[in-house]
Amino acid sequence: AVKSILSSGGKINIQKQVYIVAASGRLTITDSAANEKFYKPVTLNGEICFEDKKTVITQLSSFDISAYNKNSLKWLLDADKIVGQTVLRSYLGNEKIKLYGKEFTSVIKKLFAKIPPDKRNRQIVISDDLGAIFVEGFGVADRVSVNSRTHNALSIKIERI
């Protein structure tokens, strides 16, 4: 079993809350604390720090879509399209998101396929009452993306601290 995860990546539970994790051709032994998920209700404004990352959310006043190139739009969301409470969290498993600019829905777990297994629970997902609206490294959900009618835009940037 260890040989198979060494070549493809993954983890094996060897004892209660103790795992052998294979990533990038290396084996490590870790406890469940490294695999725990996080969940923090937030207001989408300012800086939110979690472990070694800082999520910077900036309100863009007088938003004009023509001032942005298509590539940068995947990091912007329309604040008026957010439903209910927002949460900064890890991914929940097989949840799906239709990313801005894509014609298909993606399973977040598959988006994370190239991320080492021990780092997947540290990828930031922002959600509202209807599901994921932002996935670190991939952008915003199409349902909250900005358009020519957007008045209240938010920019999301994640920095290492």
Side-chain angles (χ1 to χ4, degrees):
V2 172
K3 195 173 189 178
S4 68
I5 68 163
L6 187 57
S7 62
S8 62
K11 69 180 178 180
I12 299 172
N13 185 329
I14 58 171
Q15 181 180 342
K16 185 178 180 181
Q17 298 183 345
V18 178
Y19 298 87
I20 294 177
V21 179
S24 305
R26 300 175 80 181
L27 287 177
T28 56
I29 297 177
T30 184
D31 64 16
S32 66
N35 297 301
E36 286 180 9
K37 296 184 179 274
F38 60 96
Y39 181 96
K40 181 178 181 180
V42 295
T43 302
L44 293 182
N45 189 17
E47 297 179 354
I48 305 159
C49 294
F50 177 76
E51 291 192 358
D52 63 339
K53 295 179 184 176
K54 176 170 60 172
T55 304
V56 180
I57 301 168
T58 308
Q59 293 184 326
L60 305 173
S61 58
S62 304
F63 180 75
D64 177 10
I65 196 166
S66 65
Y68 296 87
N69 67 41
K70 185 175 171 128
N71 227 11
S72 64
L73 294 178
K74 73 179 187 175
W75 308 111
L76 305 176
L77 59 86
D78 186 328
D80 296 325
K81 294 179 181 177
I82 296 171
V83 177
Q85 182 181 32
T86 52
V87 175
L88 183 108
R89 61 175 175 77
S90 52
Y91 83 105
L92 300 176
N94 287 327
E95 64 184 316
K96 297 177 180 180
I97 187 170
K98 183 176 183 294
L99 292 167
Y100 168 76
K102 303 291 184 187
E103 297 299 320
F104 53 88
T105 300
S106 300
V107 176
I108 293 176
K109 185 176 182 177
K110 288 187 178 183
L111 293 175
F112 290 167
K114 293 186 179 181
I115 296 170
D118 60 322
K119 296 193 180 349
R120 291 178 190 162
N121 282 345
R122 295 289 162 253
Q123 293 297 110
I124 292 174
V125 174
I126 299 174
S127 65
D128 66 5
D129 289 352
L130 298 179
I133 60 173
F134 172 84
V135 179
E136 178 183 358
F138 298 93
V140 301
D142 189 64
R143 70 179 175 86
V144 295
S145 64
V146 295
N147 58 36
S148 60
R149 296 181 305 278
T150 299
H151 297 291
N152 300 310
L154 299 172
S155 167
I156 300 176
K157 183 167 55 169
I158 297 177
E159 303 171 351
R160 297 254 179 235
I161 51 175

